[in-house]
Every structure is written in structure tokens, then in C-alpha cells.
């Protein structure tokens, strides 16, 4: 019986119910003493055989003959499939396919993998009871192949609903609390509630079985630290802390799944400030400046029912976003977002202090109104960034103050790509350059990622181009699936890893020699 090559593993094979770990023999020979070009990796070659005579299904033995690509100073990581672990995080899924895939990634010179750690799986059943078994298997497998792991603490919902194959809700006990007190969830002016993430307004209020949301996030991170301590600083070298919907520091102004749709560029988004906790905060701030009439909710004339910002009273070029009220509201709204990030970053910094792991928070790539004066989709997301105001430097400084790096997507997108779609206001490359400029000014490292799932040579080339604009940059490819290992795409990906390594070497040499 033939076994598929790890250069093209299948992610959708069904593992045998009686599968148990096989022992692998991995004699890796690295050619030494050659010049730089001799170490460029060809596609991995593998001869595999399965001992079919064994009653338990046989022992899989790999005989590998390959050269290993040297990892450079612009390292590449690959995000694992959303369903890498099974229900309740009890076990790693598709163990044979994952093993072959990890081997292929290691031979390609990939630095490591990004492992999303879902709150809804780890602490899904009961508060304070955690299950890390599946994630421990992933980390042990990465360690076996010499891959690093970045763990993403995902405190948000995944998917659009129970019919979504990748549906991971918030923990059930959290949803029960939301049923008792619906204002724990964000709400817009129409009363529509977002269940993706808990409202920032109750960050420090004990609404979760006697704990505040920030305490619940901190408790999970502490248990992660204690469980994975033997791997921290060795195999696990990075922690990305989830700070909002999609793991990003933003409001759920537009449902996350909508952002993947082709027409997301029309979305202005809705201000998420109508739950009782956010309204109470707004009312208190308005009262402090003697303008209580400003504390009853968000601005009028800012509805996303009008998809052209010029048709709205608030977002149009000379709209009320520039008025004293507009400046007050947008300042408060963005400050609540910044305060939320500050609280969680402070907790995470204390929890992982003294461990050799890098810390990261992510900014959302909300670029589709970047060429307008008011940048409406950024404003509703919580980024007070307009043609008159830099909204990213305060966020970058907050991350830098706590020793965090910044993650941001759309490294694969160029402004010129939007022209054929006749979307003149959409500027992903310009948006990213502003973030890169702020990060460079405050010496904050960057972790880039792709926005589109369809990566080709042009997309990879754009990633290399944008990575060169940052002195300390790495890249997370989102995400690993069986299409990635299709022959043509795999060759393109391996070339990209080489290009990132070479670009990093050039950047480092230029820095060393001034």
C-alpha cells in the first residue's frame, strides 16, 4: 500500500478510529560545505513503505533524502487549519496528514506554524476547566520536526453559525451568561447583537460567573503558561493575544465572515456602542465635559444602510465627523478600544514575564475607504484615522509600551489590484504603509499575513516587497490546506520562502554595513 508523499498531503482523509502514533525514523542529511545556491531546496523527495503485515496497521517508515533550506531573517510561518483539533480540543485531528505536512514544511525551510488556541474549545464546557490535549499533540509534533510554534489565544467566535463547518462559538457557559444579560454582547443602533466577542464596556465587571472578561482571558493564559512551560522559549517562541473579533484589536462593526465577501468594500460598518455598559461609559465621559446630551449613543446620519459615505450626514467629506461632537465621540470610541487592548496586554505581559517568547497583538486591515477623507470603515472599527488625524500611532505606542509586536494582514495586496474592480477608495497597500511607518518610527516588530486565500507568484512577490519596508518582519501564511500542497502551488510557496530568506539576508547585511 502506497503512502502519499508529504509534499502533497491530504487534509481531508478520515483517520482510522484505531489509529495510534507510529514511530518515525527521520535520518536527515544536510549537505555542508557547499555554496549558498547549493542549499536551495528542490521539491522534497520521499520513499515510504508501510509494513502491511503488522496486525495493528503497520509502522510507517520514512526514508528522506533532501537538502534543508536555510532559514533567514524574514521567517515564514504557516497557520494551521481551523479544525486542527477535534471537539473540546481533546485530540489532534488527521494525525498522519499533519505529520506529513509538518515534515514538508520543515524541509521547505518554514520557520514554524501558527496554532490557534480557541477559548470555546479549551474552556468550552465549564468555567475554570481547561483541556489542552489536542494542542499538546501539535506542539510535540512541531518539536519533533524542529518547527517553532506561535500560539494565538483566540477569545473570539469562529464562523457564522452552527451550519458553518468551522463553527466555534464562545464557551457555552459564556453564551448562557449572555442569555441572562444580553448587554454583555455588543449592539448597534438597530439592536442587532454581535456574539463574536464580549463588549469592551464590561471588561472589568464580574459578568462571567463572578469573573470579569479580562480575568477570564488572563486565567486561560495562565493555565496555558503552566501547561506548556516546558515548551515556552524553545518550541513555542511567540504568543499572539486575541483582542477582539477575528483576534484583532477592533470592534465588530462588520461581521467577520462578511469581510471575506467580494463586495465588502461597500461596508461602512456600524458603531458598536449601544449595549448598556458602553452607553454607561459614554454617558459618564459626556457628563465630565458638561455635555450629557452627547452620552446617549452613537452619531446620527452614520448608518451603513447608505453604502456611499457621501450620502451620509456623518461620514461625507465635510460631515459631522469634523464637528466638536464628532471629535468627542470618535475620541471616546477609539479610546475604549485602546483601553481594552491596554488591559489585556498588561495582563499578558505579566503572565509571560521572564519567558523567552515574543508577544503580538493584531490590527485589522480595514482599507476599503482609505482614499476618502473620513475613512468611515476605519472609524466604525475603532481606528480614529482620517485625512486629518493619524489613528495608528497611539495603537502602535500602546503595543510598544508593553513590548508587543504588531500583526497586520493585506501584505499580499497592491493598490493597483483595486482599479479593475472600479473601487477607487480602496487602498490596501497605502493603508499598510501607514501602519509600517508607525511601527518603524517606534521600533515595533511586524508580523504580516495575507488577506486573500488565493496566493500566487504575484501575491507572494507583493509580500516580499512589503516585508522589505520593515527592519524586523516575519510572515504568517493563512492558512494550510490540501490545496497548498498541490504541485504548482507548492513550488510557488517554496520559491517564496527562499525569496523571503534572501531578502532578509540582504536587509540584515545592509543594516550591518550601514
Amino acid at each position: 500500500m502506497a503512502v502519499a508523499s508529504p509534499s502533497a498531503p491530504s487534509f481531508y482523509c478520515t483517520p482510522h478510529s484505531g489509529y495510534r502514533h507510529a514511530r518515525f525514523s527521520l535520518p536527515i542529511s544536510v549537505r555542508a560545505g557547499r555554496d549558498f545556491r547549493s542549499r536551495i531546496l528542490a521539491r522534497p523527495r520521499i520513499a515510504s513503505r508501510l509494513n502491511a503485515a503488522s496486525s495493528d496497521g503497520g509502522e510507517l517508515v520514512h526514508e528522506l533524502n533532501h537538502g534543508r533550506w536555510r532559514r533567514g531573517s524574514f521567517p515564514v510561518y504557516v497557520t494551521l487549519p481551523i479544525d486542527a483539533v477535534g471537539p473540546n480540543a481533546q485530540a489532534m485531528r488527521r494525525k498522519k496528514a499533519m505529520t506529513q505536512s509538518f515534515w514538508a514544511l520543515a524541509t521547505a525551510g518554514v520557520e514554524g506554524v501558527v496554532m490557534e488556541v480557541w477559548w470555546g474549545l479549551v474552556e468550552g464546557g465549564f468555567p475554570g476547566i481547561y483541556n489542552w490535549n489536542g494542542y499538546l499533540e501539535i506542539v510535540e509534533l512541531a518539536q519533533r520536526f524542529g518547527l517553532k510554534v506561535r500560539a494565538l489565544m483566540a477569545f473570539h467566535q469562529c464562523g457564522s453559525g452552527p451550519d458553518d463547518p468551522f463553527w466555534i462559538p464562545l464557551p457555552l457557559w459564556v453564551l448562557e451568561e449572555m442569555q441572562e444579560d444580553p448587554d454583555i454582547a455588543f449592539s448597534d443602533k438597530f439592536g442587532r447583537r454581535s456574539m463574536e466577542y464580549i463588549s469592551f464596556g464590561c471588561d472589568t465587571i464580574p459578568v462571567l460567573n463572578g469573573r470579569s472578561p479580562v480575568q477570564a482571558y488572563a486565567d486561560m493564559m495562565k493555565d496555558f503558561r503552566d501547561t506548556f512551560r516546558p515548551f515556552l522559549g524553545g518550541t513555542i517562541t511567540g504568543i499572539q493575544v486575541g483582542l477582539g473579533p477575528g483576534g484583532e484589536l477592533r470592534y465588530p462593526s462588520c461581521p467577520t465572515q462578511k469581510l471575506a465577501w467580494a463586495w465588502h468594500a461597500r461596508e461602512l460598518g456600524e458603531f458598536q456602542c449601544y449595549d448598556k455598559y458602553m452607553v454607561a461609559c459614554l454617558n459618564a465621559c459626556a457628563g465630565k465635559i458638561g455635555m450629557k446630551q452627547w452620552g446617549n449613543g452613537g452619531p446620527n446620519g452614520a448608518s451603513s444602510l447608505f453604502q456611499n459615505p457621501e450620502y451620509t450626514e456623518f461620514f461625507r467629506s465635510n460631515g459631522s465627523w469634523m464637528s466638536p461632537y464628532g471629535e468627542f465621540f470618535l475620541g471616546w470610541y477609539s479610546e475604549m478600544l485602546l483601553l481594552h487592548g491596554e488591559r489585556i496586554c498588561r495582563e499578558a505581559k505579566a503572565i509571560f514575564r521572564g519567558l523567552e517568547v515574543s508577544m503580538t497583538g493584531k490590527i485589522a486591515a480595514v482599507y476599503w475607504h482609505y482614499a476618502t477623507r473620513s475613512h468611515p470603515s476605519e472609524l466604525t472599527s475603532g481606528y480614529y484615522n482620517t485625512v486629518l488625524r493619524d489613528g495608528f500611532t497611539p495603537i502602535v505606542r500602546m503595543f510598544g509600551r508593553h513590548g508587543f509586536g504588531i500583526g497586520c494582514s493585506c501584505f499580499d495586496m497592491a493598490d493597483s489590484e483595486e482599479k479593475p474592480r472600479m473601487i477607487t477608495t480602496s487602498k490596501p497597500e497605502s493603508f499598510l504603509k501607514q501602519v509600517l511607518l508607525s511601527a518603524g518610527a517606534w521600533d515595533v516588530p511586524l508580523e504580516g499575513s495575507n488577506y486573500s486565500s488565493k496566493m500566487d507568484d504575484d501575491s507572494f512577490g507583493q509580500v516580499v516587497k512589503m516585508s522589505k519596508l520593515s527592519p524586523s518582519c516575519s510572515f504568517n501564511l493563512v492558512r494550510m490546506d490540501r490545496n497548498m500542497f498541490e504541485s504548482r502551488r507548492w513550488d510557488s510557496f517554496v520559491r517564496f520562502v527562499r525569496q523571503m530568506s534572501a531578502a532578509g539576508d540582504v536587509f540584515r547585511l545592509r543594516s550591518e554595513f550601514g
Side-chain angles (χ1 to χ4, degrees), residues 217-387:
Y217 306 148
D219 287 345
M220 178 174 148
M221 288 190 286
K222 289 175 185 175
D223 205 76
F224 176 88
R225 176 201 61 194
D226 297 340
T227 303
F228 290 86
R229 188 179 291 274
F231 301 99
L232 292 170
T235 301
I236 300 176
T237 57
I239 305 290
Q240 181 177 316
V241 182
L243 299 169
E248 300 164 329
L249 183 63
R250 64 174 174 88
Y251 288 91
S253 55
C254 179
T256 299
Q257 66 272 15
K258 260 191 176 183
L259 302 183
W261 297 352
W263 50 270
H264 70 73
R266 304 190 186 115
E267 289 289 335
L268 303 181
E270 291 285 351
F271 288 111
Q272 302 291 313
C273 58
Y274 290 88
D275 64 82
K276 69 181 182 183
Y277 299 104
M278 291 291 286
V279 170
C281 294
L282 176 59
N283 194 270
C285 289
K288 285 182 180 179
I289 62 170
M291 301 296 289
K292 289 188 177 182
Q293 65 272 26
W294 288 356
N296 297 320
N300 295 321
S303 174
S304 64
L305 294 177
F306 298 97
Q307 295 181 336
N308 187 333
E310 292 303 317
Y311 295 162
T312 68
E313 178 185 340
F314 190 77
F315 293 126
R316 64 191 181 196
S317 296
N318 60 343
S320 54
W321 60 274
M322 294 188 297
S323 68
Y325 164 74
E327 292 177 353
F328 161 77
F329 174 79
L330 294 173
W332 168 81
Y333 192 69
S334 60
E335 189 63 30
M336 287 292 289
L337 179 73
L338 203 60
L339 185 58
H340 172 73
E342 184 93 41
R343 287 167 175 155
I344 299 181
C345 288
R346 187 187 304 119
E347 292 286 343
K349 178 182 177 182
I351 291 167
F352 295 102
R353 180 178 286 118
L355 301 170
E356 295 182 5
V357 292
S358 61
M359 307 292 294
T360 310
K362 191 175 182 182
I363 293 175
V366 189
Y367 56 81
W368 41 94
H369 292 109
Y370 191 79
T372 65
R373 285 177 55 81
S374 63
H375 298 209
S377 49
E378 292 166 63
L379 296 183
T380 56
S381 296
Y383 306 146
Y384 191 1
N385 189 59
T386 69
V387 71

Side-chain angles (χ1 to χ4, degrees), residues 134-196:
Y135 295 113
L136 279 167
E137 290 184 56
I138 290 175
V139 173
E140 289 169 353
L141 185 64
Q143 185 182 55
R144 185 193 308 180
F145 289 102
L147 293 170
K148 304 300 182 185
V149 174
R150 284 177 173 169
L152 193 166
M153 301 288 109
F155 300 116
H156 59 280
Q157 168 190 294
C158 177
S160 57
D163 294 334
D164 191 317
F166 301 117
W167 170 243
I168 303 176
L170 298 181
L172 295 180
W173 55 274
V174 173
L175 298 179
E176 290 172 359
E177 295 287 354
M178 284 184 171
Q179 288 181 344
E180 292 290 326
D181 182 3
D183 285 289
I184 295 175
F186 283 106
S187 177
D188 64 16
K189 68 187 302 179
F190 302 105
R192 296 175 298 193
R193 303 218 177 253
S194 171
M195 312 296 280
E196 290 191 62

